[in-house]
Amino acid sequence: MINSKDILETLKMIEDEHLDVRTITMGISLLDCIDPDIDAACSKIYDKICRYASNLVRTGDDIAAEYGVPIVHKRISVTPIAMVAAACPSKNPVKFARTLERAAQSIGVNFVGGYSALVHKGFGPGDYALIQSIPEALSETEHVCSSVNIGSTKTGLNMDAVAMMGRIVRQTAEMTADRDCIGAAKLVVFCNAPEDNPFMAGAFHGPGEPDCVINVGVSGPGVVSAAIHKAGNCDIAALAETVKRTAFKITRVGQLVASEAARRLSVPFGIVDLSLAPTPAVGDSVARILEEMGLEHCGAPGTTACLALLNDAVKKGGVMASSHVGGLSGAFIPVSEDEGMIEAARCGALTIEKLEAMTAVCSVGLDMIVVPGDITAEAISGVIADEAAIGMVNSKTTAVRLIPAIGKKVGEELSFGGLLGSGPVMPVNTCSPAKFISRGGRLPAPLQSLKN
C-alpha cells in the first residue's frame, strides 16, 4: 500500500533538486474508430479522445497540488494512425493529424503521440501514405508527435523504410525551417519501439494495450547527482548502491502519482517509466551526473562506462519500487534537452560518434541532436541504420531524433523552447553511405532473434 508518507522523504528532492513527474500519459485505443469514411473516423477519434481525457489535465493539476509533486506534462498517446488510415487508403492521412491537434487543443494537453507507423518487417496498408505525409502533418500541427519503427531484434531492419525516413526527416526540417526546424524535433525513428512508452516524441498506444490506460514517466537527474555528491569519494560499488537507493525513492513518487491518477480517472494503471529525463535547466542534467562520478566533461574517456553504471543502477532500484515498470526506463541522453550535454557539445568534448557508443548502454539513442543543414538524406539514413543496428543486436530500444538545421552550419545553434531546449549544430562525417542505403531490402535479424 502506498500513501502520502512514502513521499515525505522526497520533499527536499522536489524543492531543491528538480524532482518531478515528467508526464502523465493517457493511452487511448482508436481501433474501434476505424471507418472507411475518413470524416466519420475523424469524428469518432475526436469524440473518444475528448470523452476519455476531458479530465486529464485537471486531475494532474489536482494531484500535483495535493501531494506537492510537480507534474510537468499531461499527454495522450493513441493507436498508430497508420492502422486507422489503412481503412481509407485514398484519403490524405493529414486529416487525422489535424483531428489529433484539435483534440489536444480542446483538452489542453501538451502533446499527442501516435502519428506513427510500425514497418519493421515491411509496409502494410496505410503505412506508406502515413510516412509520406509526416512532413506536412508536423508542419501544420503544434502538439502532434510522430514515430516510425523500422526494425526489431526479431525481424531485422527494413532498409527501404530506413532510406525513406532519411528523406522524411530532411523534408520535415525543411518544411519548418522558419521555426528552427521544430518539425524534426517531433519525429523519432525507432528500433524495438515499446508499446507503453509515455515519453514524446515516441509515444504511441500499442495494439496489445488496453482500451485506455495511464502510464507515468518520472524524472530526477538532479536528485541522483546530489546523492552522488553526498556519497563523496566512495568506490564504484558504493556509487552504484547510491544510485539504486535514489532511483527507488524517485520511482515510489511515480508509482503513487500513477496509481492515484488511474483511480481518479477510472482507467487502468499501466506502467511507471523510471527514466532519468533531463531538462535544459541547470541542476537537472544526466551529463552532470556522469561528471559527478568523476569525468572532467561528459564525452571524456570513461563516459560510456559511467552511463552503463547509471542505467543499470536506475533499473535495479526502480523495479523494486513499482509493481509495473515499462516504457524505456533508464537514462536519456538528449543533447538539446540537457544543459550539461549542450555545454559538452559546444566545447567539443562530446561528438556524435561518442554519443553513438553511449547509446549501446542508455535507454534510448541519438536523441535531439542538431546536425548541419546541408546533411544529405542518405547520411541521415546511415545514422538511422547504425543506431537501429545497435538496438537490434543488443535486444534493446534505440532511436534517432536528428534535427537538420536548414541554412545553418557547425557552431551555429537552434532553439526550440520549453523542454526541447536548444543545441549547437554538431559535425557529421561527410563520407557518403548512399550506395549502401540504395540497396534496399531487409537487413537480416541477428542470431539471438531465434530464442524460441
Side-chain angles (χ1 to χ4, degrees):
M1 179 67 68
I2 297 176
N3 54 54
S4 59
K5 293 182 181 179
D6 291 318
I7 65 167
L8 291 178
E9 191 178 3
T10 67
L11 289 178
K12 179 175 173 57
M13 300 178 183
I14 294 168
E15 293 173 0
D16 301 330
E17 298 164 3
H18 299 276
L19 174 63
D20 60 56
V21 170
R22 183 57 46 85
T23 177
I24 296 177
T25 300
M26 176 178 281
I28 301 174
S29 172
L30 302 183
L31 294 177
D32 57 344
C33 300
I34 293 174
D35 195 294
D37 181 337
I38 191 169
D39 293 321
C42 287
S43 179
K44 293 177 186 178
I45 288 169
Y46 179 82
D47 290 344
K48 185 169 186 180
I49 292 175
C50 291
R51 183 171 72 252
Y52 271 120
S54 59
N55 293 322
L56 177 62
V57 174
R58 186 183 68 187
T59 299
D61 291 342
D62 289 346
I63 293 172
E66 288 179 32
Y67 289 97
V69 179
I71 299 174
V72 181
H73 272 190
K74 296 86 181 175
R75 304 168 176 171
I76 293 169
S77 63
V78 298
T79 302
I81 291 296
M83 299 173 67
V84 182
C88 34
S90 63
K91 303 298 183 181
N92 187 350
V94 173
K95 182 167 281 192
F96 291 111
R98 297 185 189 119
T99 299
L100 296 178
E101 178 69 19
R102 186 161 62 95
Q105 292 180 5
S106 296
I107 297 165
V109 293
N110 300 95
F111 288 114
V112 178
Y115 199 77
S116 307
L118 311 179
V119 295
H120 36 281
K121 204 171 183 179
F123 297 95
D127 292 332
Y128 194 85
L130 182 125
I131 293 173
Q132 290 281 47
S133 75
I134 287 173
E136 181 183 358
L138 296 186
S139 69
E140 287 191 15
T141 59
E142 180 182 354
H143 301 87
V144 174
C145 294
S146 180
S147 60
V148 178
N149 191 66
I150 52 82
S152 73
T153 299
K154 281 286 188 183
T155 65
L157 305 183
N158 180 349
M159 293 302 294
D160 294 318
V162 169
M164 190 176 182
M165 288 312 300
R167 298 190 294 271
I168 294 300
V169 169
R170 180 163 181 85
Q171 289 170 18
T172 304
E174 290 171 345
M175 290 188 70
T176 54
D178 60 333
R179 288 163 280 163
D180 275 354
C181 309
I182 187 67
K186 300 187 294 172
L187 170 60
V188 59
V189 185
F190 271 119
C191 178
N192 290 321
E195 295 189 0
D196 55 5
N197 165 31
F199 287 102
M200 301 296 170
F204 63 87
H205 188 71
E209 293 287 296
D211 190 51
C212 187
V213 69
I214 288 291
N215 298 319
V216 165
V218 297
S219 182
V223 179
V224 175
S225 184
I228 293 173
H229 180 77
K230 292 172 188 173
N233 192 29
C234 60
D235 67 14
I236 297 296
L239 199 65
E241 188 65 24
T242 297
V243 176
K244 281 165 55 180
R245 291 177 180 274
T246 307
F248 176 87
K249 297 171 186 176
I250 292 171
T251 308
R252 291 298 269 182
V253 176
Q255 173 78 7
L256 172 66
V257 170
S259 300
E260 190 64 17
R263 183 185 68 80
R264 296 186 187 195
L265 292 166
S266 300
V267 298
F269 157 50
I271 58 94
V272 174
D273 187 320
L274 48 94
S275 296
L276 294 181
T279 72
V282 174
D284 201 22
S285 162
V286 169
R288 299 304 185 195
I289 298 175
L290 306 181
E291 292 169 1
E292 194 65 56
M293 290 181 179
L295 303 175
E296 180 181 0
H297 278 296
C298 179
T303 296
T304 305
C306 288
L307 184 60
L309 183 157
L310 175 65
N311 208 52
D312 178 68
V314 165
K315 291 177 185 290
K316 287 175 177 174
V319 296
M320 294 297 294
S322 175
S323 54
H324 299 287
V325 171
L328 298 163
S329 289
F332 289 1
I333 52 171
V335 175
S336 79
E337 297 177 13
D338 185 306
E339 168 268 329
M341 296 279 179
I342 295 169
E343 182 179 312
R346 283 174 177 159
C347 75
L350 189 62
T351 64
I352 289 182
E353 289 76 15
K354 185 59 179 178
L355 281 162
E356 183 179 301
M358 293 164 67
T359 64
V361 298
C362 80
S363 284
V364 190
L366 294 171
D367 196 20
M368 288 302 291
I369 297 173
V370 183
V371 294
D374 61 357
I375 188 172
T376 65
E378 292 82 8
I380 297 171
S381 294
V383 173
I384 292 170
D386 283 344
E387 191 59 29
I390 290 174
M392 176 186 71
V393 172
N394 290 285
S395 301
K396 70 183 293 293
T397 300
T398 51
V400 172
R401 190 161 42 149
L402 296 184
I403 301 98
I406 305 302
K408 295 183 181 292
K409 300 178 180 179
V410 173
E412 298 183 81
E413 298 201 4
L414 290 183
S415 179
F416 311 108
L419 291 179
L420 296 177
S422 62
V425 179
M426 299 179 70
V428 178
N429 191 315
T430 56
C431 296
S432 176
K435 184 175 180 179
F436 171 66
I437 297 300
S438 68
R439 291 179 181 272
R442 186 146 55 96
L443 197 154
L447 186 60
Q448 56 264 45
S449 67
L450 300 176
K451 289 186 177 180
N452 291 337

